[in-house]
Amino acid sequence: MANQIKLDISETAVELKTLLKKESNLQKKERLQALYLLKSGQVTTLEALSKLLVKDPSTIYRWFQKYKTDGLSGLLKLYKPAGKPCSLPAEAIERLKQKLQNPEVFRTYGDIQLWLRDECGVDVDYYVVYRTVRYKLKAKMKLAKNSVKSSL
């Protein structure tokens, strides 16, 4: 066949299967699956592998080129875009982290925003405060929800 895959895979099928079972990242899992299917002999052509994994053949070909040049670690290294750097200075984040140790200090993210402006001299958007507190510092606001009494 014209599209027979000739790739020298140094890992055994058993090693690949164990790595596949341990992996939780979907992108890495797909790449390991491609290597495993090829190494175990379940597929031999690029078309069959692309249909089985529901991936474009050029994507799988690119994975295999990466494996040839950088090995398994290069194949499993994922691209992570840099993104915009955090607009909060590190010292402000540290002070905020200490303040958040006591849950009664702030009632809302707006309070945190005002505190940052007044105490740290940092004027940032509400969403920046929310993302920083919620995802970077892994803190939640400890507010009791207001109960609405329905009158009948």
Side-chain angles (χ1 to χ4, degrees):
M1 290 194 156
N3 286 340
Q4 289 283 73
I5 303 173
K6 294 182 177 83
L7 183 65
D8 185 30
I9 302 172
S10 56
E11 294 80 18
T12 66
V14 175
E15 289 173 337
L16 290 171
K17 189 161 186 147
T18 359
L19 287 172
L20 188 60
K21 286 182 180 179
K22 289 180 183 176
E23 189 57 58
S24 60
N25 184 297
L26 182 63
Q27 291 174 314
K28 292 180 182 181
K29 206 167 195 164
E30 288 175 331
R31 295 170 188 202
L32 285 169
Q33 181 80 30
L35 284 179
Y36 173 72
L37 291 170
L38 189 60
K39 183 69 175 188
S40 64
Q42 295 179 33
V43 292
T44 55
T45 65
L46 192 59
E47 284 83 17
L49 189 56
S50 71
K51 284 181 184 176
L52 199 58
L53 295 177
V54 192
K55 289 285 179 191
D56 193 75
S58 62
T59 301
I60 297 171
Y61 182 79
R62 193 173 53 248
W63 291 349
F64 289 160
Q65 290 303 315
K66 190 73 169 166
Y67 181 79
K68 281 180 185 177
T69 58
D70 300 334
L72 187 63
S73 61
L75 176 71
L76 297 179
K77 184 178 179 186
L78 301 176
Y79 171 73
K80 183 180 177 191
K84 186 178 177 183
C86 183
S87 56
L88 281 173
E91 69 174 43
I93 293 175
E94 277 304 313
R95 287 180 63 189
L96 178 59
K97 191 176 186 178
Q98 290 172 355
K99 278 286 215 186
L100 287 171
Q101 299 288 332
N102 184 1
E104 285 91 35
V105 174
F106 300 115
R107 291 184 45 81
T108 65
Y109 293 107
D111 291 344
I112 297 173
Q113 186 180 15
L114 291 174
W115 179 82
L116 283 168
R117 188 182 66 212
D118 296 340
E119 297 294 321
C120 300
V122 180
D123 193 19
V124 290
D125 290 339
Y126 180 91
Y127 189 63
V128 172
V129 172
Y130 173 77
R131 273 195 339 250
T132 303
V133 171
R134 186 75 175 91
Y135 300 114
K136 193 171 187 176
L137 300 177
K138 306 277 190 229
K140 294 182 183 178
M141 302 309 297
K142 308 277 190 199
L143 282 180
K145 300 206 185 244
N146 293 337
S147 60
V148 178
K149 294 182 181 179
S150 60
S151 57
L152 295 176

